[in-house]
Amino acid sequence: MQWTNEKIREFLEDLEALIDFHLEERLNDAFPSWVMARGGVFQGDILRMALGPEWRVNWAARVRFPDGSEGWVLVSARAKAWLQTVQDFVREILRDPQARAALQAKGVGDPMWPVVFAMAAEDRALEAAMQAGVGLLLSRQGMVVAPMLWSLERGAPLEE
């Protein structure tokens, strides 16, 4: 078989679909487990957000915790969290006015906890998540960096 550009593209699309399916399966276990371990209760369905070709929020859910805090948890899933993964999430979703407007148009509001989910992470991703106030939820370890509360309206952590 000869590998044409079309066959390579189809192969990569199939591979991406397989990886995405596997990530969703892992996320399906890790995310509700984290919410329930904190005593949280989902306030509706877990939504999948397609905001456009350049923006990806795998899951968004409204959650209420026992301390009375209530808001949205936004989750972006990747196979591995790299420094760039966290930086892209902050720049392309949390701080981008168009992405935030798209989230608001889908009913997401303030406040929110942003989370990157991955099966593994490099150490620089942990540092970047801590600095940005973004949660880092790993498949087997759970939440290794707790998310800060963010304002979707302002595109910044509430503590800034």
Side-chain angles (χ1 to χ4, degrees):
M1 172 169 86
Q2 185 162 348
W3 286 92
T4 63
N5 286 342
E6 180 67 21
K7 290 204 182 285
I8 291 170
R9 186 186 58 73
E10 288 175 9
F11 172 77
L12 292 174
E13 286 174 358
D14 290 346
L15 183 60
E16 182 179 13
L18 180 63
I19 291 169
D20 283 348
F21 175 77
H22 188 62
L23 278 172
E24 289 281 335
E25 286 294 309
R26 294 281 182 97
L27 181 57
N28 193 41
D29 292 333
F31 178 55
S33 294
W34 172 72
V35 170
M36 289 185 282
R38 292 189 58 206
V41 177
F42 288 99
Q43 304 294 298
D45 295 331
I46 296 174
L47 308 171
R48 293 171 190 224
M49 299 276 174
L51 304 176
E54 60 276 348
W55 305 308
R56 182 167 124 179
V57 173
N58 295 78
W59 285 8
R62 187 145 182 83
V63 177
R64 181 181 309 139
F65 292 105
D67 65 1
S69 60
E70 186 172 335
W72 287 87
V73 180
L74 301 182
V75 182
S76 179
R78 299 291 185 266
K80 183 169 182 177
W82 301 92
L83 169 68
Q84 194 67 39
T85 307
V86 175
Q87 292 174 338
D88 288 349
F89 183 55
V90 171
R91 186 182 64 256
E92 296 172 4
I93 302 286
L94 303 178
R95 296 204 187 269
D96 184 277
Q98 291 178 312
R100 293 191 339 258
L103 284 164
Q104 290 171 323
K106 292 184 177 281
V108 177
D110 281 337
M112 67 171 173
W113 292 275
V115 175
V116 170
F117 169 80
M119 290 188 278
E122 70 162 335
D123 59 343
R124 295 184 312 157
L126 274 77
E127 293 169 20
M130 284 186 268
Q131 289 176 346
V134 171
L136 188 55
L137 177 62
L138 299 182
S139 176
R140 303 229 186 264
Q141 292 96 332
M143 191 67 74
V144 296
V145 175
M148 291 176 60
L149 204 53
W150 275 66
S151 167
L152 183 62
E153 183 71 31
R154 290 183 30 232
L158 288 174
E159 296 177 11
E160 277 188 359

